């Protein structure tokens, strides 16, 4: 059986590997010269990820990847670094706000999905705690108004990020680009034909997994229903001369941003004596870039003393509709665009109907899409005999 995969990001590479494992002869088409999509990293000496930072080792996608030797070289957060985690709360940098600690102790509390987090959280945790919790989740939400999202969506993520089994996050040594190389090498070993600089403008003949962003899939499939809520954030990567005492990570309980100093875990990401920091702050509705940048620089001023004098490199980018699915009240992941589109077409990516956190959705949907495609073909082959 021949299987086409459109898109060479995490979802496309995973679908190609899962398809080859299922017995298909796979061709993957990627419009860019390089593979990886949002999982690309910049070239040294500053190896900055396009967005993603950690792979969560406590989820089913990690297990699927690990069983196949597809998890690249990675490191859990060292205790020393974990102790360097800080919060911005009421314009100061310090330990976790009391409201966050109190919320984290409610391990058994479940939130409904038919009401927004602001309403439910205020009722169950109090207004201040609810705001501190919602904003702290900027680390995975990338949304300026997290209290508008489904209560279950925000609360489940808060519980996962603060789970006692922590640290589940794994940092990829050499950046996410190293993972892309690892996955593409395996795909090639399994016989996947990879065609870069091959933009697909019309669906190829035969079973096809469309593993592009949801926006690109909408255009390719001519289906205007392929839409889902996602984040909108300003991201800044900074090279900074190292300064003893800089925090490792800052959860921003004031404004839903976050800041992380990756070189604490992987010093190879920046030149010797320097740190690589990524900071992000969601863009408010109707807000111009200069205004968001000014707010983001207040976060930097508060968290990283003298960062301007220590600056050696800077990259700014805006991620809109690129930070994965966000569920509004009244919806869950099951309501997102279905994987099986009928007639041998399958969707994979981080805004489709699959569970998980951020890139996990892309991996899970890709495995499912490839399974559905190869199973359908086996059924058709059996029927014709
Ligand atoms: C700021 C930010 C932070 C994030 N943090 C994390 C994190 O910490 N952990 C985590 O797990 N995830 C994180 N994510 C999410 C993660 O980056 C994505 O879920 C994942 O990279 C999506 O992969 P994908 O393959 O679905 O899509 P993409 O990476 O967008 O890949 C789609 C590919 O399809 C190609 N393409 C598009 N149209 C066509 C066409 N017509 N023909 C051929 N090719 C085409 C594109 O060029 C692209 O390479 C973050 C994302 C952002 C932006």
């Amino acid at each position: 059986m021949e299987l086409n995969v459109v898109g060479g990001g995490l979802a496309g590479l995973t679908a190609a590997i899962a398809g080859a494992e299922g017995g298909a002869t796979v061709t993957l088409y990627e419009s860019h010269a390089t593979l990886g999509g949002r999982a690309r990293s910049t070239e040294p000496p500053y190896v900055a990820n396009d967005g993603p930072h950690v792979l969560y080792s406590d989820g089913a996608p990690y297990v699927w990847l690990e069983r196949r030797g597809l998890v690249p070289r990675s490191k859990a957060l060292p205790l020393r670094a974990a102790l360097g985690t800080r919060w911005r709360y009421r314009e100061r940098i310090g330990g976790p706000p009391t409201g966050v600690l109190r919320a984290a102790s409610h391990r058994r509390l479940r939130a409904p999905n038919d009401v927004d987090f602001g309403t439910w959280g205020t009722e169950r945790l109090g207004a201040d705690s609810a705001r501190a919790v919602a904003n702290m989740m900027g680390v995975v939400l990338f949304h300026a108004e997290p209290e508008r999202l489904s209560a279950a969506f925000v609360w489940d993520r808060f519980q996962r990020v603060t789970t006692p089994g922590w640290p589940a996050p794994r940092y990829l040594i050499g950046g996410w680009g190293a993972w892309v190389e690892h996955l593409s090498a395996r795909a090639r070993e399994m016989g996947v034909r990879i065609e870069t600089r091959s933009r697909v403008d019309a669906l190829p003949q035969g079973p096809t997994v469309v593993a592009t962003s949801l926006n690109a899939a909408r255009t390719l499939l001519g289906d205007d229903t392929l839409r889902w809520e996602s984040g909108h954030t300003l991201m800044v990567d900074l090279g900074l001369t190292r300064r003893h005492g800089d925090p490792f990570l800052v959860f921003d309980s004031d404004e839903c941003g976050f800041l992380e100093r990756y070189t604490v875990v992987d010093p190879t990401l920046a030149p010797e004596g320097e740190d690589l920091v990524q900071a992000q702050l969601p863009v408010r509705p109707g807000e111009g870039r200069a205004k968001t940048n000014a707010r983001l620089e207040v976060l930097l001023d508060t968290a990283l003393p003298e960062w301007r004098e220590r600056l050696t490199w800077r990259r700014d980018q805006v991620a809109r509709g690129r930070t994965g699915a966000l569920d509004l009240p009244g919806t869950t992941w099951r309501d997102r665009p279905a994987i099986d589109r009928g007639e041998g077409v399958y969707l994979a990516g981080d805004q489709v109907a699959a569970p998980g956190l951020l890139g996990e959705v892309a991996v899970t949907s890709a495995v499912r899409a490839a399974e559905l495609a190869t199973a359908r073909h086996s059924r058709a082959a059996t029927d014709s005999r």
Side-chain angles (χ1 to χ4, degrees), residues 7 9-11 30-32 37-38 51-54 200 235 322 350 358-359:
L10 277 188
E30 165 55 50
S31 56
H32 274 265
R38 280 167 271 168
H53 41 122
V54 292
V200 173
M235 275 189 308
R322 291 166 52 78
D350 62 1
L358 300 166

Side-chain angles (χ1 to χ4, degrees), residues 27-358:
T27 306
L28 180 149
Y29 302 94
E30 165 55 50
S31 56
H32 274 265
T34 49
L35 295 165
R38 280 167 271 168
R40 279 188 284 252
S41 309
T42 52
E43 290 295 319
Y46 298 97
V47 185
N49 298 319
D50 247 20
H53 41 122
V54 292
L55 186 60
Y56 293 87
S57 66
D58 57 347
Y62 187 91
V63 174
W64 188 92
L65 293 161
E66 200 180 32
R67 278 202 187 125
R68 290 157 179 81
L70 295 172
V71 175
R73 221 153 61 82
S74 65
K75 256 198 209 166
L77 189 58
L79 182 63
R80 178 177 53 85
L83 296 174
T85 299
R86 296 282 176 272
W87 275 253
R88 178 166 77 144
Y89 186 56
R90 297 189 171 151
E91 291 162 36
R92 298 180 63 159
I93 300 293
T98 319
V100 165
L101 287 176
R102 213 177 314 118
S105 69
H106 294 305
R107 301 301 321 162
R108 295 229 175 107
L109 188 59
R110 293 286 166 266
N113 60 44
D114 57 353
V115 64
D116 64 85
F117 183 80
T119 305
W120 176 83
T122 301
E123 209 172 274
R124 302 306 297 257
L125 309 168
D128 280 354
S129 292
R131 203 168 308 114
V133 163
N135 284 336
M136 163 187 166
M137 295 320 295
V139 66
V140 292
L141 299 176
F142 310 100
H143 193 283
E145 300 172 309
E147 63 283 356
R148 277 208 309 113
L149 302 173
S150 137
F153 186 80
V154 176
W155 184 246
D156 289 354
R157 277 146 187 76
F158 174 72
Q159 289 209 314
R160 186 146 176 218
V161 167
T162 58
T163 198
W166 195 81
R170 307 278 314 177
Y171 291 79
L172 309 188
I173 304 304
W176 279 52
W179 190 19
V180 172
E181 278 174 30
H182 188 69
L183 290 174
S184 52
R186 176 63 65 84
R188 286 193 173 96
E189 270 165 39
M190 294 174 81
V192 174
R193 207 170 81 209
I194 295 183
E195 302 203 358
T196 50
R197 297 182 205 272
S198 287
R199 189 189 157 77
V200 173
D201 291 314
L203 267 186
Q205 288 291 317
T208 302
V209 176
V210 176
T212 64
S213 65
L214 197 61
N215 285 343
R218 185 166 66 243
T219 309
L220 181 61
L221 300 179
D223 181 346
D224 199 50
T225 66
L226 298 182
R227 294 176 186 277
W228 201 256
E229 185 83 6
S230 185
H232 184 190
T233 199
L234 174 66
M235 275 189 308
V236 178
D237 294 288
L238 306 171
L240 297 179
T241 310
R242 187 160 300 143
R243 174 190 158 276
H244 182 71
D246 276 350
F248 161 63
L249 190 148
V250 176
F251 289 115
D252 183 3
S253 278
D254 282 341
E255 295 205 58
C256 208
F258 88 91
L259 175 159
E260 194 163 16
R261 190 159 57 96
Y262 295 99
T263 27
V264 170
V265 188
D266 180 5
T268 66
L269 301 178
E272 216 177 311
E274 294 185 31
D275 273 322
L276 182 71
V277 172
Q278 189 186 81
Q280 70 88 22
L281 194 69
V283 179
R284 290 177 178 157
E287 185 176 58
R289 183 150 171 174
K291 187 89 191 288
T292 318
N293 185 57
R295 289 194 298 115
L296 178 58
E297 292 198 354
V298 173
L299 169 62
L300 296 175
D301 290 339
T302 317
L304 300 168
E306 295 156 16
W307 69 273
R308 289 167 212 274
E309 293 75 24
R310 296 191 283 132
L311 188 67
T312 51
W313 180 77
R314 176 169 175 157
R315 176 183 70 158
D316 292 33
Q317 42 176 349
V318 173
R320 183 171 204 164
R322 291 166 52 78
T323 58
L326 299 174
D327 296 342
L328 290 169
T331 65
T332 72
W333 63 264
R334 293 172 205 279
D335 301 302
R336 297 180 200 149
I339 294 172
D340 191 346
R341 311 305 302 170
E343 298 177 9
V345 178
Y346 305 89
L347 269 189
D350 62 1
Q351 281 179 278
V352 307
L357 191 58
L358 300 166

